[in-house]
Amino acid sequence: MAKPLPVLIAGAGPVGMVAAAYLAGEGIPVTIVEQAKDLPTDLRASTFHPPTLDMLRRFGMVDSLIEQGLVCPQWQFRDRATGPIATFDMGVLSADTDHPYRLQCEQWRLTQMLRDRMAANPDVSFIYDARAADVAQDADGVTLVIERHDGSTEKLAGSYLIGADGARSAVRRAVGTEFRGQTIPEIFLSLSTTFAFHEAIPDLADISYISDPEEWFVLLRTATLWRVLFPTDPEETEERMTSPARMQERLQAVVPNAAGYEVVHRTGYRVHERVVDEYVHGRVFLAGDAAHINNPLGGMGMNGGIHDAFNLAQKLVEVWRGAPLESMGRYGRQRRKVALDVVQQQALRNRQILNQRDPAARRAYHDELRATVADPAKHRAYLLRSSMIQSLRDLEAVA
């Protein structure tokens, strides 16, 4: 009997690697294609929500993630001038999850652990230094054209293809689905520094969203660094926004530091709110940033992508074992609804709270947050939504 063609996975970020590990664990051969020469280790997403950690227990690596990361049982909204507005206690969710906290841990740690897990599996193969370029399919399988840095191309044959190749997905372009949405006006500038903000700012939570009518920002602590996210005028050139003097100016405005700030990583990027029309295209499935992108306020991008991967892989296992291919349509319907109704809406609301300039509207937002924290039922309901637990519960109602 001929050996079945593998599931091809374009992209070795958290989404592609989770899908690969899930499928490989079910005895399904996979081939992962990554355009970098190795797994990326740059500083990208770092927030793991409770249900994501619950899911990752499947691979037996949550304890290792926790050891390498920072457990954050609280997070808060703050006013830049007056301090805490509302501090949310994740312990409220202790009956809803085995991990009632956010974990701050760089995403590359997860992808490396997953690669180590699959290293001894003969049905798992990696192709590095190759990007997805084009896709074709028929009733029996898919063909993925990959392109090397020298311009040479190669065709890979597979049973199915998962496009997890990011916001500029070539797989998405090949299947021709629309990527509808908007681009947020400001550029987001992320700076990582060794400065201990928690020692300099009273009552500062490890994850803090700082509201201000002139310039809001976000502070995120990891095990070794603090990350500061600033909105930036799109007219400001990348050269200027990342110049040492300009970075010092902005960080000094957060907390004066006579010794100066050591900036160990910086990146500026445009932010989009977009969702594809269709996640499923015959034997080709889109997931993660290839299917939906949003602003990072709330840490839902990577988590939503990992939730895509689990949902997709679970259903693909059933198809591999005989379920009709058409049943994959439910994956698309479920995860698109979450992207539109949960991920985008929460991220947009967080931005509205932080970016509000009207004094009366700011007071109303802040009063609403205080009232939410003060009411146990509202507190829990808010955290169920913001931690993405509720979105997973609501999926069963999507046919």
Side-chain angles (χ1 to χ4, degrees):
M1 184 176 179
K3 186 176 181 180
L5 293 173
V7 174
L8 305 176
I9 299 175
V15 179
M17 292 295 282
V18 164
Y22 191 114
L23 295 171
E26 294 293 327
I28 297 174
V30 296
T31 297
I32 303 109
V33 177
E34 170 55 45
Q35 67 175 355
K37 295 182 179 180
D38 199 352
L39 293 182
T41 58
D42 52 339
L43 293 178
R44 300 189 186 185
S46 61
T47 297
F48 288 85
H49 285 305
T52 307
L53 296 171
D54 291 344
M55 292 177 180
L56 292 174
R57 285 179 306 184
R58 180 184 185 91
F59 306 129
M61 58 186 56
V62 172
D63 289 345
S64 295
L65 280 174
I66 291 172
E67 289 173 3
Q68 297 182 48
L70 179 71
V71 171
C72 301
Q74 296 181 331
W75 60 271
Q76 67 188 186
F77 283 104
R78 298 176 65 95
D79 182 276
R80 187 166 186 169
T82 62
I85 300 165
T87 299
F88 287 88
D89 177 11
M90 301 291 286
V92 168
L93 300 179
S94 58
D96 300 287
T97 172
D98 289 336
H99 304 91
Y101 46 80
R102 291 188 185 182
L103 178 69
Q104 290 297 108
C105 184
E106 298 86 350
Q107 68 175 41
W108 61 263
R109 298 183 187 275
L110 171 63
T111 58
Q112 291 194 346
M113 289 180 196
L114 289 169
R115 180 172 63 180
D116 292 345
R117 176 185 173 84
M118 293 185 283
N121 189 327
D123 289 328
V124 176
S125 60
F126 286 86
I127 300 175
Y128 295 102
D129 198 23
R131 70 173 189 88
D134 201 4
V135 178
Q137 62 177 309
D138 57 28
D140 299 315
V142 297
T143 300
L144 175 65
V145 179
I146 60 174
E147 182 178 349
R148 304 285 186 173
H149 285 290
D150 63 5
S152 62
T153 61
E154 179 183 345
K155 292 183 178 180
L156 303 179
S159 296
Y160 306 95
L161 169 63
I162 297 174
D165 50 336
R168 296 182 177 88
S169 173
V171 176
R172 183 184 65 241
R173 291 196 300 272
V175 298
T177 188
E178 291 291 335
F179 203 27
R180 302 181 195 276
Q182 64 174 324
T183 299
I184 292 175
E186 63 263 22
I187 291 174
F188 281 18
L189 174 66
S190 177
L191 305 178
S192 297
T193 177
T194 54
F195 182 77
F197 285 103
H198 55 290
E199 296 178 0
I201 301 177
D203 303 317
L204 179 68
D206 293 329
I207 301 170
S208 294
Y209 303 92
I210 291 83
S211 172
D212 185 79
E214 299 302 323
E215 181 186 70
W216 59 266
F217 59 93
V218 180
L219 289 172
L220 299 173
R221 186 183 178 189
T222 69
T224 57
L225 300 168
W226 274 92
R227 301 176 72 179
V228 190
L229 180 69
F230 292 107
T232 303
D233 186 337
E235 298 301 317
E236 188 169 339
T237 66
E238 182 175 358
E239 181 181 10
R240 170 166 162 71
M241 78 172 68
T242 59
S243 67
R246 179 63 172 144
M247 291 189 296
Q248 287 294 321
E249 176 187 7
R250 302 190 78 174
L251 289 168
Q252 292 287 350
V254 175
V255 174
N257 175 20
Y261 281 86
E262 177 188 14
V263 177
V264 299
H265 180 266
R266 64 183 187 272
T267 184
Y269 52 94
R270 286 195 174 276
V271 177
H272 307 272
E273 300 277 356
R274 299 186 184 277
V275 180
V276 293
D277 284 353
E278 298 288 344
Y279 281 47
V280 176
H281 301 265
R283 291 175 172 266
V284 180
F285 320 112
L286 301 175
D289 285 356
H292 52 84
I293 51 177
N294 61 279
N295 81 61
L297 300 178
M300 291 189 168
M302 176 185 69
N303 288 272
I306 290 174
H307 298 183
D308 289 348
F310 272 93
N311 189 308
L312 190 166
Q314 182 182 39
K315 291 177 172 59
L316 188 53
V317 167
E318 295 172 359
V319 169
W320 188 272
R321 293 173 179 169
L325 178 58
E326 292 74 21
S327 62
M328 291 300 300
R330 191 173 184 224
Y331 156 69
R333 292 188 294 273
Q334 288 181 323
R335 296 309 306 166
R336 188 171 188 272
K337 177 177 176 58
V338 170
L340 288 170
D341 297 350
V342 179
V343 175
Q344 282 202 355
Q345 293 307 310
Q346 183 66 44
L348 285 169
R349 178 167 172 76
N350 287 345
R351 179 172 172 269
Q352 288 171 349
I353 293 172
L354 297 176
N355 204 37
Q356 182 58 247
R357 294 174 181 265
D358 179 76
R362 292 187 78 238
R363 285 194 299 271
Y365 271 140
H366 296 176
D367 288 344
E368 180 183 349
L369 290 169
R370 293 186 186 100
T372 297
V373 168
D375 183 311
K378 291 181 178 179
H379 194 156
R380 176 172 173 268
Y382 189 101
L383 288 174
L384 286 172
R385 293 192 303 272
S386 63
S387 67
M388 309 183 78
I389 293 173
Q390 192 63 51
S391 70
L392 294 168
R393 293 178 177 178
D394 292 343
L395 286 186
E396 291 308 310
V398 180

